[in-house]
Amino acid sequence: MLNIVFPVLNEESCLENGILTTIAFLEKNGIPYHITIADNGSEDATSLIAQEICKKNTNVSYLKLGARGVGLAFREAIKNNASSLKCAYIGYMDIDLATDLKHLKEVYALLKDNKIVVGSRLLKESKVFGRSIKREITSRGLNVILKVLLGVKFSDAMCGFKFFEAKSAEFLVENCSEDNSWFYCAQMLIVAESRKIGIKEIPVVWKDDSNSKVKIFSLSCIYLEEIFKLLFRKVRRRL
């Protein structure tokens, strides 16, 4: 079974549509699933809407967290899956469905032979729509920094479409620092690569949300800070 985690923060406007559209796709394509709504600090009607969805759909659960952060949301969802849900596979995607749902079918098939399957907007076969030049330059720049400083081989650390064999996800949680930010999910890939856990990248169709709440500058600063922390750790291990 595939546990799809949706980290949400004040998503009352698109939560119901995102979940119901995903459920319809999964059921149409015969993909066994559980959906976890991981609410990291919402202050609008997200909580009420999520709980109503759960009442009507037994395969959907609501995880309320006391702090903000996509990293926190995904990490706690992995722990929850390990302790109670026991789904064989787990991953996360954005509630605005920026990544075309058709890739879930591909992911589910690939996870049978791969520990990690992630989307990349930077592969030549990928199709990206509505992305601003500012976001494109920032994303590519941060990925280049990762390659230069940490020597990673995967192409897109920031794509919000990452799926794992559950046991591998649990291992990575145990071996990653507890950063609550978006970068935590990139850190999982960095640690996986360093531990020789294979990462399968797939090209995706991606449509940027013009109403995205992502603050490019502050997010970039967090990424750079965490990258240098990992670099410092890497250097220390060599000394």
Side-chain angles (χ1 to χ4, degrees), residues 147-170:
K147 287 180 179 293
V148 172
L149 295 183
L150 297 176
V152 303
K153 294 181 173 61
F154 51 86
S155 66
D156 190 354
M158 277 70 85
C159 184
F161 193 76
K162 297 181 173 68
F163 291 84
F164 303 75
E165 175 198 51
K167 293 297 181 183
S168 296
E170 292 162 25

PDB file of all heavy atoms in Angstrom, residues 147-170:
ATOM      1  N   LYS A 147      25.570  19.931  -5.877  1.00  0.00           N
ATOM      2  CA  LYS A 147      26.470  19.093  -6.663  1.00  0.00           C
ATOM      3  C   LYS A 147      27.936  19.471  -6.420  1.00  0.00           C
ATOM      4  O   LYS A 147      28.798  18.602  -6.259  1.00  0.00           O
ATOM      5  CB  LYS A 147      26.132  19.223  -8.153  1.00  0.00           C
ATOM      6  CG  LYS A 147      24.845  18.515  -8.556  1.00  0.00           C
ATOM      7  CD  LYS A 147      24.575  18.681 -10.038  1.00  0.00           C
ATOM      8  CE  LYS A 147      23.301  17.955 -10.450  1.00  0.00           C
ATOM      9  NZ  LYS A 147      23.415  16.499 -10.336  1.00  0.00           N
ATOM     10  N   VAL A 148      28.216  20.776  -6.382  1.00  0.00           N
ATOM     11  CA  VAL A 148      29.594  21.237  -6.219  1.00  0.00           C
ATOM     12  C   VAL A 148      30.118  20.962  -4.808  1.00  0.00           C
ATOM     13  O   VAL A 148      31.232  20.451  -4.632  1.00  0.00           O
ATOM     14  CB  VAL A 148      29.696  22.746  -6.545  1.00  0.00           C
ATOM     15  CG1 VAL A 148      31.078  23.284  -6.187  1.00  0.00           C
ATOM     16  CG2 VAL A 148      29.403  22.990  -8.018  1.00  0.00           C
ATOM     17  N   LEU A 149      29.335  21.307  -3.794  1.00  0.00           N
ATOM     18  CA  LEU A 149      29.814  21.202  -2.415  1.00  0.00           C
ATOM     19  C   LEU A 149      29.680  19.801  -1.822  1.00  0.00           C
ATOM     20  O   LEU A 149      30.539  19.364  -1.054  1.00  0.00           O
ATOM     21  CB  LEU A 149      29.072  22.204  -1.524  1.00  0.00           C
ATOM     22  CG  LEU A 149      29.306  23.687  -1.827  1.00  0.00           C
ATOM     23  CD1 LEU A 149      28.563  24.556  -0.825  1.00  0.00           C
ATOM     24  CD2 LEU A 149      30.805  24.014  -1.802  1.00  0.00           C
ATOM     25  N   LEU A 150      28.599  19.107  -2.170  1.00  0.00           N
ATOM     26  CA  LEU A 150      28.347  17.791  -1.556  1.00  0.00           C
ATOM     27  C   LEU A 150      28.480  16.632  -2.533  1.00  0.00           C
ATOM     28  O   LEU A 150      28.395  15.468  -2.144  1.00  0.00           O
ATOM     29  CB  LEU A 150      26.952  17.776  -0.907  1.00  0.00           C
ATOM     30  CG  LEU A 150      26.756  18.773   0.243  1.00  0.00           C
ATOM     31  CD1 LEU A 150      25.317  18.725   0.738  1.00  0.00           C
ATOM     32  CD2 LEU A 150      27.718  18.480   1.390  1.00  0.00           C
ATOM     33  N   GLY A 151      28.660  16.954  -3.814  1.00  0.00           N
ATOM     34  CA  GLY A 151      28.894  15.907  -4.792  1.00  0.00           C
ATOM     35  C   GLY A 151      27.715  15.005  -5.080  1.00  0.00           C
ATOM     36  O   GLY A 151      27.893  13.849  -5.481  1.00  0.00           O
ATOM     37  N   VAL A 152      26.491  15.509  -4.882  1.00  0.00           N
ATOM     38  CA  VAL A 152      25.321  14.662  -5.124  1.00  0.00           C
ATOM     39  C   VAL A 152      25.152  14.406  -6.616  1.00  0.00           C
ATOM     40  O   VAL A 152      25.569  15.201  -7.454  1.00  0.00           O
ATOM     41  CB  VAL A 152      24.033  15.284  -4.538  1.00  0.00           C
ATOM     42  CG1 VAL A 152      24.180  15.533  -3.048  1.00  0.00           C
ATOM     43  CG2 VAL A 152      23.654  16.560  -5.273  1.00  0.00           C
ATOM     44  N   LYS A 153      24.510  13.282  -6.939  1.00  0.00           N
ATOM     45  CA  LYS A 153      24.316  12.923  -8.341  1.00  0.00           C
ATOM     46  C   LYS A 153      22.880  13.143  -8.817  1.00  0.00           C
ATOM     47  O   LYS A 153      22.636  13.254 -10.011  1.00  0.00           O
ATOM     48  CB  LYS A 153      24.724  11.469  -8.557  1.00  0.00           C
ATOM     49  CG  LYS A 153      26.224  11.232  -8.355  1.00  0.00           C
ATOM     50  CD  LYS A 153      26.586   9.782  -8.610  1.00  0.00           C
ATOM     51  CE  LYS A 153      28.108   9.585  -8.570  1.00  0.00           C
ATOM     52  NZ  LYS A 153      28.695   9.936  -7.282  1.00  0.00           N
ATOM     53  N   PHE A 154      21.910  13.193  -7.899  1.00  0.00           N
ATOM     54  CA  PHE A 154      20.532  13.425  -8.324  1.00  0.00           C
ATOM     55  C   PHE A 154      20.386  14.875  -8.771  1.00  0.00           C
ATOM     56  O   PHE A 154      21.140  15.756  -8.357  1.00  0.00           O
ATOM     57  CB  PHE A 154      19.537  13.084  -7.211  1.00  0.00           C
ATOM     58  CG  PHE A 154      19.831  13.726  -5.881  1.00  0.00           C
ATOM     59  CD1 PHE A 154      19.379  14.995  -5.592  1.00  0.00           C
ATOM     60  CD2 PHE A 154      20.557  13.039  -4.911  1.00  0.00           C
ATOM     61  CE1 PHE A 154      19.645  15.598  -4.375  1.00  0.00           C
ATOM     62  CE2 PHE A 154      20.821  13.627  -3.681  1.00  0.00           C
ATOM     63  CZ  PHE A 154      20.366  14.901  -3.409  1.00  0.00           C
ATOM     64  N   SER A 155      19.388  15.130  -9.618  1.00  0.00           N
ATOM     65  CA  SER A 155      19.338  16.434 -10.297  1.00  0.00           C
ATOM     66  C   SER A 155      18.478  17.486  -9.605  1.00  0.00           C
ATOM     67  O   SER A 155      18.729  18.676  -9.742  1.00  0.00           O
ATOM     68  CB  SER A 155      18.832  16.247 -11.729  1.00  0.00           C
ATOM     69  OG  SER A 155      17.484  15.804 -11.736  1.00  0.00           O
ATOM     70  N   ASP A 156      17.433  17.066  -8.867  1.00  0.00           N
ATOM     71  CA  ASP A 156      16.464  18.039  -8.353  1.00  0.00           C
ATOM     72  C   ASP A 156      16.107  17.725  -6.907  1.00  0.00           C
ATOM     73  O   ASP A 156      15.207  16.936  -6.626  1.00  0.00           O
ATOM     74  CB  ASP A 156      15.211  18.024  -9.230  1.00  0.00           C
ATOM     75  CG  ASP A 156      14.256  19.180  -8.922  1.00  0.00           C
ATOM     76  OD1 ASP A 156      14.508  19.926  -7.959  1.00  0.00           O
ATOM     77  OD2 ASP A 156      13.258  19.324  -9.648  1.00  0.00           O
ATOM     78  N   ALA A 157      16.817  18.367  -5.992  1.00  0.00           N
ATOM     79  CA  ALA A 157      16.595  18.117  -4.560  1.00  0.00           C
ATOM     80  C   ALA A 157      15.293  18.726  -4.058  1.00  0.00           C
ATOM     81  O   ALA A 157      14.731  18.285  -3.061  1.00  0.00           O
ATOM     82  CB  ALA A 157      17.755  18.685  -3.750  1.00  0.00           C
ATOM     83  N   MET A 158      14.783  19.752  -4.755  1.00  0.00           N
ATOM     84  CA  MET A 158      13.661  20.518  -4.230  1.00  0.00           C
ATOM     85  C   MET A 158      12.294  20.106  -4.753  1.00  0.00           C
ATOM     86  O   MET A 158      11.278  20.633  -4.310  1.00  0.00           O
ATOM     87  CB  MET A 158      13.874  22.004  -4.532  1.00  0.00           C
ATOM     88  CG  MET A 158      14.765  22.723  -3.529  1.00  0.00           C
ATOM     89  SD  MET A 158      16.479  22.240  -3.618  1.00  0.00           S
ATOM     90  CE  MET A 158      17.073  23.303  -4.905  1.00  0.00           C
ATOM     91  N   CYS A 159      12.236  19.209  -5.703  1.00  0.00           N
ATOM     92  CA  CYS A 159      10.936  18.821  -6.257  1.00  0.00           C
ATOM     93  C   CYS A 159      10.069  18.168  -5.178  1.00  0.00           C
ATOM     94  O   CYS A 159      10.503  17.244  -4.490  1.00  0.00           O
ATOM     95  CB  CYS A 159      11.129  17.843  -7.425  1.00  0.00           C
ATOM     96  SG  CYS A 159       9.591  17.382  -8.252  1.00  0.00           S
ATOM     97  N   GLY A 160       8.848  18.657  -5.021  1.00  0.00           N
ATOM     98  CA  GLY A 160       7.954  18.151  -3.977  1.00  0.00           C
ATOM     99  C   GLY A 160       7.213  16.894  -4.392  1.00  0.00           C
ATOM    100  O   GLY A 160       5.974  16.849  -4.356  1.00  0.00           O
ATOM    101  N   PHE A 161       7.979  15.881  -4.783  1.00  0.00           N
ATOM    102  CA  PHE A 161       7.383  14.620  -5.224  1.00  0.00           C
ATOM    103  C   PHE A 161       8.400  13.515  -4.972  1.00  0.00           C
ATOM    104  O   PHE A 161       9.177  13.159  -5.845  1.00  0.00           O
ATOM    105  CB  PHE A 161       7.025  14.709  -6.718  1.00  0.00           C
ATOM    106  CG  PHE A 161       6.141  13.594  -7.221  1.00  0.00           C
ATOM    107  CD1 PHE A 161       4.780  13.575  -6.922  1.00  0.00           C
ATOM    108  CD2 PHE A 161       6.661  12.578  -8.013  1.00  0.00           C
ATOM    109  CE1 PHE A 161       3.966  12.549  -7.401  1.00  0.00           C
ATOM    110  CE2 PHE A 161       5.862  11.558  -8.495  1.00  0.00           C
ATOM    111  CZ  PHE A 161       4.510  11.542  -8.195  1.00  0.00           C
ATOM    112  N   LYS A 162       8.397  12.997  -3.735  1.00  0.00           N
ATOM    113  CA  LYS A 162       9.409  12.029  -3.312  1.00  0.00           C
ATOM    114  C   LYS A 162       8.735  10.836  -2.630  1.00  0.00           C
ATOM    115  O   LYS A 162       7.903  11.018  -1.735  1.00  0.00           O
ATOM    116  CB  LYS A 162      10.400  12.678  -2.347  1.00  0.00           C
ATOM    117  CG  LYS A 162      11.222  13.816  -2.943  1.00  0.00           C
ATOM    118  CD  LYS A 162      12.201  14.387  -1.924  1.00  0.00           C
ATOM    119  CE  LYS A 162      13.143  15.406  -2.546  1.00  0.00           C
ATOM    120  NZ  LYS A 162      12.463  16.643  -2.962  1.00  0.00           N
ATOM    121  N   PHE A 163       9.142   9.626  -3.029  1.00  0.00           N
ATOM    122  CA  PHE A 163       8.542   8.415  -2.486  1.00  0.00           C
ATOM    123  C   PHE A 163       9.610   7.393  -2.113  1.00  0.00           C
ATOM    124  O   PHE A 163      10.646   7.279  -2.782  1.00  0.00           O
ATOM    125  CB  PHE A 163       7.549   7.825  -3.495  1.00  0.00           C
ATOM    126  CG  PHE A 163       6.328   8.680  -3.659  1.00  0.00           C
ATOM    127  CD1 PHE A 163       6.330   9.761  -4.533  1.00  0.00           C
ATOM    128  CD2 PHE A 163       5.192   8.453  -2.899  1.00  0.00           C
ATOM    129  CE1 PHE A 163       5.220  10.581  -4.666  1.00  0.00           C
ATOM    130  CE2 PHE A 163       4.080   9.267  -3.019  1.00  0.00           C
ATOM    131  CZ  PHE A 163       4.087  10.335  -3.902  1.00  0.00           C
ATOM    132  N   PHE A 164       9.328   6.653  -1.034  1.00  0.00           N
ATOM    133  CA  PHE A 164      10.319   5.760  -0.445  1.00  0.00           C
ATOM    134  C   PHE A 164       9.704   4.407  -0.074  1.00  0.00           C
ATOM    135  O   PHE A 164       8.522   4.331   0.300  1.00  0.00           O
ATOM    136  CB  PHE A 164      10.872   6.367   0.860  1.00  0.00           C
ATOM    137  CG  PHE A 164      11.486   7.721   0.730  1.00  0.00           C
ATOM    138  CD1 PHE A 164      10.693   8.855   0.574  1.00  0.00           C
ATOM    139  CD2 PHE A 164      12.854   7.890   0.761  1.00  0.00           C
ATOM    140  CE1 PHE A 164      11.251  10.122   0.463  1.00  0.00           C
ATOM    141  CE2 PHE A 164      13.424   9.153   0.649  1.00  0.00           C
ATOM    142  CZ  PHE A 164      12.624  10.268   0.495  1.00  0.00           C
ATOM    143  N   GLU A 165      10.521   3.376  -0.136  1.00  0.00           N
ATOM    144  CA  GLU A 165      10.173   2.157   0.573  1.00  0.00           C
ATOM    145  C   GLU A 165      10.106   2.561   2.051  1.00  0.00           C
ATOM    146  O   GLU A 165      10.993   3.267   2.540  1.00  0.00           O
ATOM    147  CB  GLU A 165      11.259   1.111   0.346  1.00  0.00           C
ATOM    148  CG  GLU A 165      11.057  -0.159   1.141  1.00  0.00           C
ATOM    149  CD  GLU A 165      12.325  -0.981   1.235  1.00  0.00           C
ATOM    150  OE1 GLU A 165      13.371  -0.418   1.618  1.00  0.00           O
ATOM    151  OE2 GLU A 165      12.258  -2.183   0.934  1.00  0.00           O
ATOM    152  N   ALA A 166       9.087   2.142   2.761  1.00  0.00           N
ATOM    153  CA  ALA A 166       8.888   2.624   4.128  1.00  0.00           C
ATOM    154  C   ALA A 166      10.078   2.337   5.039  1.00  0.00           C
ATOM    155  O   ALA A 166      10.481   3.189   5.839  1.00  0.00           O
ATOM    156  CB  ALA A 166       7.613   2.013   4.715  1.00  0.00           C
ATOM    157  N   LYS A 167      10.657   1.141   4.925  1.00  0.00           N
ATOM    158  CA  LYS A 167      11.798   0.785   5.778  1.00  0.00           C
ATOM    159  C   LYS A 167      12.993   1.695   5.500  1.00  0.00           C
ATOM    160  O   LYS A 167      13.718   2.073   6.422  1.00  0.00           O
ATOM    161  CB  LYS A 167      12.185  -0.676   5.562  1.00  0.00           C
ATOM    162  CG  LYS A 167      11.144  -1.677   6.050  1.00  0.00           C
ATOM    163  CD  LYS A 167      10.929  -1.573   7.556  1.00  0.00           C
ATOM    164  CE  LYS A 167       9.908  -2.582   8.054  1.00  0.00           C
ATOM    165  NZ  LYS A 167       9.648  -2.433   9.521  1.00  0.00           N
ATOM    166  N   SER A 168      13.185   2.056   4.241  1.00  0.00           N
ATOM    167  CA  SER A 168      14.275   2.980   3.894  1.00  0.00           C
ATOM    168  C   SER A 168      14.002   4.372   4.447  1.00  0.00           C
ATOM    169  O   SER A 168      14.911   5.051   4.940  1.00  0.00           O
ATOM    170  CB  SER A 168      14.448   3.046   2.375  1.00  0.00           C
ATOM    171  OG  SER A 168      14.858   1.791   1.865  1.00  0.00           O
ATOM    172  N   ALA A 169      12.740   4.809   4.390  1.00  0.00           N
ATOM    173  CA  ALA A 169      12.365   6.114   4.945  1.00  0.00           C
ATOM    174  C   ALA A 169      12.618   6.147   6.450  1.00  0.00           C
ATOM    175  O   ALA A 169      13.133   7.142   6.992  1.00  0.00           O
ATOM    176  CB  ALA A 169      10.904   6.410   4.645  1.00  0.00           C
ATOM    177  N   GLU A 170      12.279   5.063   7.130  1.00  0.00           N
ATOM    178  CA  GLU A 170      12.504   4.980   8.583  1.00  0.00           C
ATOM    179  C   GLU A 170      13.996   5.036   8.905  1.00  0.00           C
ATOM    180  O   GLU A 170      14.417   5.708   9.854  1.00  0.00           O
ATOM    181  CB  GLU A 170      11.890   3.692   9.131  1.00  0.00           C
ATOM    182  CG  GLU A 170      10.367   3.668   9.073  1.00  0.00           C
ATOM    183  CD  GLU A 170       9.797   2.257   9.193  1.00  0.00           C
ATOM    184  OE1 GLU A 170      10.489   1.383   9.787  1.00  0.00           O
ATOM    185  OE2 GLU A 170       8.688   2.011   8.678  1.00  0.00           O
TER     186      GLU A 170
END
